[in-house]
């Protein structure tokens, strides 16, 4: 009898301890969360329909995630509101705070009545290996396949800010980089010596005018995130890039890059590049980084006299540069009367094409661009250099905004070559090869 009473008392003590909530702070200043006890049996409701209250992460089957997120922290957390865009954040403190908030939530039962008009919010955690964990809320209730359930706690989750959905962000915050943040905060004390603009990986046109440096920075600093592009491969031209390069007094460089019209930021290599549509940067392409007076005069002649990078491409194509050859050519074209297309050239075909392009002659001084064909030739040499040559109508671009008329017969031959290569490539995915 005495042993039975001792056993009964021990059981009562155990029940008491298991029923008490202990708390542990996983991050200074974060929301306290309940210590998990032994795993609960599978199933959220009893046969009688009674609901057993439990933590949200346990309810969702995220036990492993709950046990490891402080050491194996997700690389990103994104939020999507309604049918809008997914907006990611990358700083570890905010991600841990969100994890803590979810862990502090308790599922109390089925939602008594689901408002079908309530806004859905989806939070998605992305791990370094690409695995994702998503949780959907309808209003403040959590929605799973089995239904919608009422939750309590975790208010700090809703206090997090995401770019494009509010919050005090500037574009430099998007990089999740202490160096980028310091560049912005210390700009007036540590002003860059120059600012340059580089398009499609070509030459960097640079200005040392303090007013121009300030103007470019001010446009970037005052920009705001409008939204995040969800389908960049469909909605922006990934081949069109513009870099703004600030050279600092210590000779280091800070680069802000755009792809098409979007700011392109890689805050996490594991997550990849995020493309942001911005408000307030419409004037950025028109800042005169290189004043027109500094553009070399050119009254006509071979394209090799127009730009040094074109001359180098010709020398490589003709075998005049030791150890440097044409590695490949990409041609993006829109020729009147034909569907727009592209070509990827290699081997002897690429070399011959570069020889033809670089032999074209400009016939005079600057010319107005007339509507018509557009041909953009991207040349890659074996040392990873190479020019980008833009033809519009019967003109060739020297720098942005400065075009020169070209020999009409040479331009007609160039169009004919492109259309012939396009016809040859119809069955091979717009890729034309050749022997070396």
């Amino acid at each position: 009898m005495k042993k039975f009473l001792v056993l009964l008392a021990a059981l009562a003590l155990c029940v008491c301890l298991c029923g008490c909530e202990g708390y542990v702070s996983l991050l200074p200043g974060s929301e306290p969360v309940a210590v998990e006890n032994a795993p609960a049996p599978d199933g959220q409701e009893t046969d009688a329909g009674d609901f057993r209250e439990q933590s949200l992460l346990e309810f969702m089957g995220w036990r492993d995630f709950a046990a490891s997120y402080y050491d194996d922290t997700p690389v990103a957390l994104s939020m999507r509101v309604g049918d809008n865009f997914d907006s990611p954040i990358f700083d570890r403190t905010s991600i841990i705070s969100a994890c803590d908030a979810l862990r502090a939530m308790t599922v109390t039962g089925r939602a008594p009545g689901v408002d079908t008009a309530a806004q859905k919010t989806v939070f998605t955690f992305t791990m370094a290996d690409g695995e994702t964990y998503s949780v959907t809320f309808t209003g403040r209730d959590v929605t799973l396949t089995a239904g919608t359930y009422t939750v309590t706690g975790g208010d700090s989750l809703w206090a997090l800010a995401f770019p494009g959905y509010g919050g005090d962000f500037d574009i430099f915050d998007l990089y999740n980089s202490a160096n980028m943040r310091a560049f912005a905060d210390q700009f007036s004390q540590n002003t860059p010596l120059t600012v340059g603009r580089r398009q499609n990986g070509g030459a960097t046109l640079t200005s040392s005018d303090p007013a121009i440096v300030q103007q470019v920075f001010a446009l970037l600093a005052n920009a705001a995130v409008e939204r995040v592009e969800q389908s960049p491969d469909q909605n922006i031209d990934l081949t069109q890039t513009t870099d703004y390069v600030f050279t600092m007094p210590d000779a280091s460089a800070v680069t802000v890059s755009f792809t098409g019209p979007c700011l392109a930021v890689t805050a996490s290599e594991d997550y990849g590049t995020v493309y942001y549509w911005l408000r307030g940067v419409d004037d950025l392409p028109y800042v005169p980084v290189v004043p027109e007076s500094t553009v070399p005069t050119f009254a006509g002649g071979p394209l090799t006299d127009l730009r040094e990078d074109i001359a180098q491409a010709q020398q490589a194509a003709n075998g005049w540069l030791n150890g440097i050859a044409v590695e490949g050519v990409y041609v993006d074209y829109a020729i009147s009367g034909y569907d727009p297309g592209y070509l990827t050239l290699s081997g002897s075909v690429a070399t011959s094409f570069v020889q033809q392009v670089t032999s074209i002659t400009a016939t005079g001084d600057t010319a107005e661009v007339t509507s018509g064909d557009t041909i953009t030739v991207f040349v890659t040499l074996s040392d990873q250099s190479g020019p980008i040559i833009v033809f519009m109508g019967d003109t060739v671009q020297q720098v942005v905004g400065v075009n020169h008329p070209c020999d009409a017969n040479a331009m007609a031959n160039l169009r004919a070559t492109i259309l012939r290569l396009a016809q040859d490539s119809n069955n091979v995915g717009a890729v034309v090869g050749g022997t070396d």
Side-chain angles (χ1 to χ4, degrees):
M1 182 65 179
K2 187 178 294 184
K3 290 182 179 179
F4 175 75
L5 291 175
V6 171
L7 178 60
L8 185 61
L11 288 173
L13 178 61
C14 179
V15 170
C16 179
L17 289 174
C18 291
C20 294
E21 287 191 334
Y23 290 90
V24 58
S25 177
L26 294 185
L27 193 70
S30 66
E31 185 168 341
V33 296
V35 175
E36 293 189 61
N37 295 313
D42 293 335
Q44 314 307 330
E45 300 181 45
T46 67
D47 292 339
D50 297 329
F51 190 90
R52 177 178 58 80
E53 292 188 4
Q54 59 204 279
S55 72
L56 174 62
L57 295 186
E58 177 189 1
F59 180 73
M60 296 177 63
W62 289 14
R63 292 186 181 91
D64 291 342
F65 178 88
S68 64
Y69 68 76
Y70 193 71
D71 295 320
D72 184 18
T73 305
V75 297
L77 166 63
S78 66
M79 180 180 76
R80 182 176 73 249
V81 178
D83 294 327
N84 293 312
F85 52 88
D86 288 285
S87 177
I89 55 177
F90 300 92
D91 68 289
R92 185 174 186 272
T93 299
S94 295
I95 294 172
I96 289 289
S97 179
C99 295
D100 284 350
L102 289 181
R103 194 171 178 221
M105 290 180 178
T106 299
V107 182
T108 61
R110 285 188 178 272
V114 179
D115 182 1
T116 56
Q119 187 165 249
K120 282 186 167 53
T121 305
V122 181
F123 294 94
T124 300
F125 298 88
T126 300
M127 310 304 293
D129 63 1
E131 184 178 7
T132 59
Y133 295 83
S134 295
V135 56
T136 301
F137 292 90
T138 301
R140 291 294 182 94
D141 298 327
V142 67
T143 297
L144 284 78
T145 304
T148 299
Y149 297 82
T150 301
V151 296
T152 60
D155 291 341
S156 60
L157 176 66
W158 304 98
L160 294 176
F162 293 78
Y165 287 114
D168 187 19
F169 288 95
D170 64 27
I171 71 161
F172 304 106
D173 292 318
L174 305 176
Y175 291 84
N176 192 36
S177 163
N179 290 338
M180 187 64 84
R181 186 68 261 164
F183 162 74
D185 293 342
Q186 300 170 15
F187 183 86
S188 59
Q189 295 82 28
N190 189 32
T191 304
L193 299 178
T194 66
V195 63
R197 180 162 50 220
R198 179 175 59 231
Q199 293 188 291
N200 300 323
T204 302
L205 307 179
T206 303
S207 174
S208 58
D209 184 344
I212 298 297
V213 175
Q214 176 64 45
Q215 186 178 2
V216 173
F217 174 77
L219 286 169
L220 294 171
N222 294 323
V225 175
E226 184 175 90
R227 58 188 172 90
V228 180
E229 176 55 55
Q230 301 300 285
S231 303
D233 56 332
Q234 300 176 26
N235 297 326
I236 61 177
D237 187 347
L238 297 177
T239 68
Q240 298 299 311
T241 62
T242 303
D243 303 320
Y244 291 90
V245 183
F246 295 90
T247 302
M248 307 305 294
D250 64 359
S252 64
V254 174
T255 303
V256 176
S257 298
F258 287 79
T259 298
C262 295
L263 179 72
V265 178
T266 305
S268 165
E269 293 292 341
D270 295 316
Y271 190 87
T273 303
V274 182
Y275 300 92
Y276 297 92
W277 290 87
L278 303 180
R279 293 189 299 272
V281 293
D282 291 348
D283 292 336
L284 196 56
Y286 304 104
V287 177
V289 171
V290 176
E292 187 173 345
S293 61
T294 66
V295 176
T297 58
F298 184 72
L303 296 195
T304 51
D305 292 342
L306 178 70
R307 286 185 1 219
E308 291 183 5
D309 56 348
I310 297 177
Q312 184 183 34
Q314 184 193 56
Q315 293 167 2
N318 290 330
W320 299 340
L321 291 179
N322 186 27
I324 301 178
V326 175
E327 187 171 276
V329 177
Y330 177 83
V331 184
D332 189 14
Y333 64 89
I335 296 176
S336 179
Y338 298 89
D339 291 335
Y342 69 91
L343 295 168
T344 301
L345 311 179
S346 63
S348 60
V349 177
T351 300
S352 176
F353 188 84
V354 172
Q355 290 171 340
Q356 178 178 352
V357 170
T358 57
S359 67
I360 293 174
T361 298
T363 58
D365 205 343
T366 56
E368 293 294 327
V369 177
T370 58
S371 60
D373 307 333
T374 301
I375 300 169
T376 305
V377 179
F378 302 79
V379 179
T380 302
L381 304 181
S382 55
D383 65 351
Q384 299 308 301
S385 67
I388 298 173
I389 310 172
V390 180
F391 299 95
M392 290 176 282
D394 276 340
T395 71
V396 64
Q397 186 180 89
Q398 184 177 18
V399 297
V400 177
V402 179
N403 289 68
H404 298 270
C406 291
D407 178 78
N409 289 331
M411 290 303 301
N413 290 336
L414 178 62
R415 295 185 187 93
T417 298
I418 291 172
L419 294 174
R420 176 179 58 77
L421 291 172
Q423 180 64 36
D424 292 344
S425 67
N426 279 342
N427 297 321
V428 289
V431 176
V432 179
T435 56
D436 291 319

